[in-house]
Amino acid sequence: MLHSMSTPEPNSPRTAAEVNEEIRALWFRAGGTLSMDERREYQRLVLEWAVASPSPERAA
């Protein structure tokens, strides 16, 4: 099954806010229940969000 889920560009990392917006849109489209494909996409997005989120070490 092909789907049109976005993937980040290697040379242009997205901000945590941008990834968070995509996570919210995914949940909205899914109506609160994720399919297996949507769960994989959610996991990928959460990892991307964690990388993009400022950590205490980076913020200092």
Side-chain angles (χ1 to χ4, degrees):
M1 176 173 134
L2 295 176
H3 43 81
S4 62
M5 294 183 192
S6 65
T7 55
E9 293 295 323
N11 296 330
S12 60
R14 298 187 296 172
T15 66
E18 290 170 325
V19 179
N20 189 45
E21 183 66 28
E22 189 169 345
I23 290 170
R24 289 175 183 267
L26 173 64
W27 278 104
F28 181 77
R29 284 191 312 270
T33 304
L34 300 176
S35 69
M36 289 304 292
D37 284 341
E38 290 165 331
R39 286 180 194 177
R40 283 189 286 276
E41 176 68 0
Y42 174 74
Q43 290 172 342
R44 185 194 65 77
L45 288 168
V46 168
L47 290 174
E48 183 183 351
W49 175 85
V51 169
S53 295
S55 68
E57 296 83 32
R58 284 188 263 166

